[in-house]
Amino acid sequence: MKRQAFITGTGHAVPEAILTNADLEKMVDTSDEWITTRTGIKTRHITDSNTATSDLATTAAARAMEAAGWKPEDVQALFIATVTPDHAFPATACLVADRLGLSRVPAWDFAAGCSGFVYGLIQARAFVESGIFDRILVIGAECLTKITNWKDRASCVLFGDGAGAAAISSQGPGGLLGGYHWGSDGAISDLLVQAAGGSRNPATHETVEAGMHYIAMNGSETFKHAVRAMRESCLLALEMDGTDKSDVDLLISHQANYRIIDATARALELPPEKVYVNIDRYGNTSSASIPIALDEAMRRGIITPPKTVVLAAFGAGLTWAGIIVKWNG
Amino acid sequence: MSLENRVTEIIVNKLGVRAEEVSAEANFQTDLGADSLDLVELMMDFEDSFKLKISDEDSSSLKSVGDVIKYLKAHGVEE
Ligand SMILES: CC(C)(COP(=O)(O)OP(=O)(O)OC[C@H]1O[C@@H](n2cnc3c(N)ncnc32)[C@H](O)[C@@H]1OP(=O)(O)O)[C@@H](O)C(=O)NCCC(=O)NCCS
């Protein structure tokens, strides 16, 4: 029989502290009205100076393991999608694996911007179907507020911190990882970039003074590409899956902007009750947004089988990705 | 359908306004209630419908319905 990959447990973690739009009104020239109508965001969770990406990732992963009924020795590999690792090296995944008590398994980070978690699921599917692993932890974890320019009102209102994780197994029952689509376009990489801190512009006094370690974004161009990339990712993933869009029960898209989520829902002709939205509470948490939303939907009983769920994302790169996950009855 | 009618139809669909409100002089933001992201989406709909690329710079000069019609004609969109 053909090997298949299933999501058998999910978990998430966010830091306790909340930053509201009213708080932001005191920091930059903005308003709750502007932020709400342009993005749908009301609050976001932010880490304190003692908390890093690995801390959130460890909690999220432990919850996913618990949900899947896994002990540390069951996990055969762990990878983390992040653009805000604890360090450039060692990989955050190694730190998390150690804290979870995993026994010397392969652990690594990768970056695919906000598409990272869906990229991770597609990789996990390939590892499981090929027989390389039977049980993998896939994590999306970020501390975007650590690289946010709190003086740039066009971007600082958007971001939050958090982590989400999924346990992927060759044995169901669970959410079957099905048709997918993924891609990238480096020709428009300048739309969304952290310019310094890597080998192109190593950290110097000058790069810090010039604010080159912060997230820089061309919002309206990114918006256009996002809407088109999300639409294409969903439709091509559905096509590969052999599923009609009228059979979709739930869309969980990257939570970057309510207006992008809404445009994607319209492309799939989905009514609001079939679209999971939590951007109002978390803002954009990059690669963590989809696994946080997925875990909430699982725990709130929204994904009771049978359900066909579409996950779709886009992000820095630019990258985009979509995957169909089916919980069969 | 004339170019004017096609443009009007796109605007009506996107902004939820009545066709009578979509005069050549109507300004998207002040008369038709569009915000900055509605405008981005509207430009995308024009791009998709008329198979052309409207740069960010060009978009920012297209403030009224008449501006768009003039722009489309200047870029070879037929009546
Ligand atoms: C960021 C985003 C919400 C900005 O919306 P926008 O409509 O493109 O905004 P613009 O930059 O065109 O600005 C419109 C106006 O609002 C103002 N503005 C921008 N940010 C503001 C804020 N936080 N508060 C109040 N006004 C603001 C601008 O200065 C501008 O004013 P002007 O017309 O007087 O010059 C939107 O572009 C977006 O969400 N893009 C996608 C970004 C994204 O998803 N990135 C993550 C990818 S993973």
Side-chain angles (χ1 to χ4, degrees):
Chain A
M1 212 178 94
K2 185 176 174 291
R3 287 174 61 92
Q4 294 183 310
F6 302 86
I7 298 178
T8 59
T10 57
H12 82 272
V14 292
E16 239 168 71
I18 286 174
L19 188 73
T20 66
N21 290 350
D23 296 330
L24 281 160
E25 285 175 356
K26 293 180 204 127
M27 297 161 64
V28 288
D29 179 15
T30 189
S31 65
D32 174 47
E33 194 270 337
W34 193 95
I35 301 171
T36 306
T37 55
R38 302 311 156 89
T39 72
I41 302 167
K42 286 287 192 186
T43 61
R44 60 293 280 148
H45 289 251
I46 58 168
T47 40
D48 59 25
S49 57
N50 296 320
T51 307
T53 297
S54 64
D55 302 318
L56 301 175
T58 302
T59 308
R63 289 178 179 157
M65 286 171 64
E66 194 190 340
W70 288 1
K71 294 190 195 52
E73 56 272 26
D74 295 327
V75 181
Q76 296 172 323
L78 174 156
F79 41 87
I80 302 185
T82 184
V83 297
T84 48
D86 287 23
H87 315 281
F89 64 88
T92 303
C94 299
L95 310 179
V96 172
D98 173 56
R99 281 160 64 188
L100 292 170
L102 309 191
S103 48
R104 301 168 69 86
V105 301
W108 66 95
D109 295 353
F110 68 96
C114 306
S115 313
F117 183 75
V118 180
Y119 264 58
L121 291 181
I122 297 168
Q123 294 174 70
R125 181 188 149 159
F127 278 123
V128 168
E129 287 187 359
S130 62
I132 294 178
F133 301 122
D134 283 305
R135 287 171 305 277
I136 308 173
L137 279 173
V138 180
I139 303 170
E142 306 283 4
C143 287
L144 289 183
T145 67
K146 307 258 179 180
I147 57 167
T148 296
N149 181 353
W150 295 105
K151 294 197 167 79
D152 175 19
R153 69 172 182 175
S155 70
C156 76
V157 302
L158 302 173
F159 304 117
D161 300 332
I168 309 299
S169 173
S170 58
Q171 303 297 320
L176 174 68
L177 298 181
Y180 58 85
H181 173 75
W182 51 345
S184 78
D185 185 358
I188 43 177
S189 58
D190 57 338
L191 293 183
L192 193 48
V193 58
Q194 182 189 26
S199 58
R200 179 65 62 196
N201 299 300
T204 62
H205 286 295
E206 289 73 26
T207 61
V208 172
E209 260 158 35
M212 291 168 68
H213 296 265
Y214 293 130
I215 300 168
M217 180 175 75
N218 175 334
S220 57
E221 270 298 307
T222 305
F223 185 92
K224 273 183 162 182
H225 288 287
V227 169
R228 292 196 168 114
M230 296 275 273
R231 185 166 60 201
E232 182 178 289
S233 296
C234 291
L235 295 176
L236 291 177
L238 281 168
E239 188 180 311
M240 176 175 169
D241 201 68
T243 297
D244 194 81
K245 63 183 178 207
S246 63
D247 292 323
V248 173
D249 296 303
L250 188 67
L251 168 68
I252 299 181
S253 88
H254 172 44
Q255 311 277 310
N257 183 323
Y258 178 71
R259 305 277 288 263
I260 298 172
I261 301 172
D262 187 49
T264 309
R266 273 184 274 128
L268 293 181
E269 295 168 32
L270 291 176
E273 62 272 18
K274 292 190 173 179
V275 183
Y276 196 84
V277 178
N278 64 11
I279 188 172
D280 51 326
R281 288 176 287 127
Y282 299 118
N284 178 350
T285 58
S286 190
S287 67
S289 81
I290 289 180
I292 291 173
L294 178 63
D295 185 46
E296 282 193 347
M298 293 294 299
R299 288 175 198 267
R300 291 179 176 194
I302 296 170
I303 306 181
T304 44
K307 286 280 184 310
T308 297
V309 181
V310 179
L311 309 182
F314 73 96
L318 291 191
T319 57
W320 55 86
I323 189 165
I324 312 304
V325 191
K326 278 191 175 148
W327 275 265
N328 294 312
Chain B
M1 212 193 296
S2 74
L3 177 59
E4 280 78 3
N5 286 346
R6 286 173 71 193
V7 167
T8 301
E9 186 177 281
I10 292 168
I11 296 169
V12 165
N13 283 338
K14 177 59 66 194
L15 302 180
V17 292
R18 282 175 295 120
E20 305 85 79
E21 297 175 73
V22 187
S23 64
E25 303 77 45
N27 178 295
F28 294 115
Q29 298 202 259
T30 53
D31 298 321
L32 301 178
D35 72 11
S36 49
L37 288 177
D38 291 322
L39 270 181
V40 174
E41 286 198 61
L42 200 51
M43 294 304 149
M44 292 173 68
D45 287 351
F46 293 137
E47 288 182 340
D48 292 344
S49 301
F50 299 109
K51 309 274 175 284
L52 50 81
K53 168 109 189 68
I54 307 174
S55 72
D56 247 14
E57 269 171 16
D58 289 350
S59 322
S60 55
S61 67
L62 303 178
K63 299 202 181 302
S64 70
V65 178
D67 291 344
V68 168
I69 291 168
K70 224 184 299 164
Y71 180 90
L72 292 174
K73 285 182 178 162
H75 287 77
V77 177
E78 308 276 311
E79 279 287 329

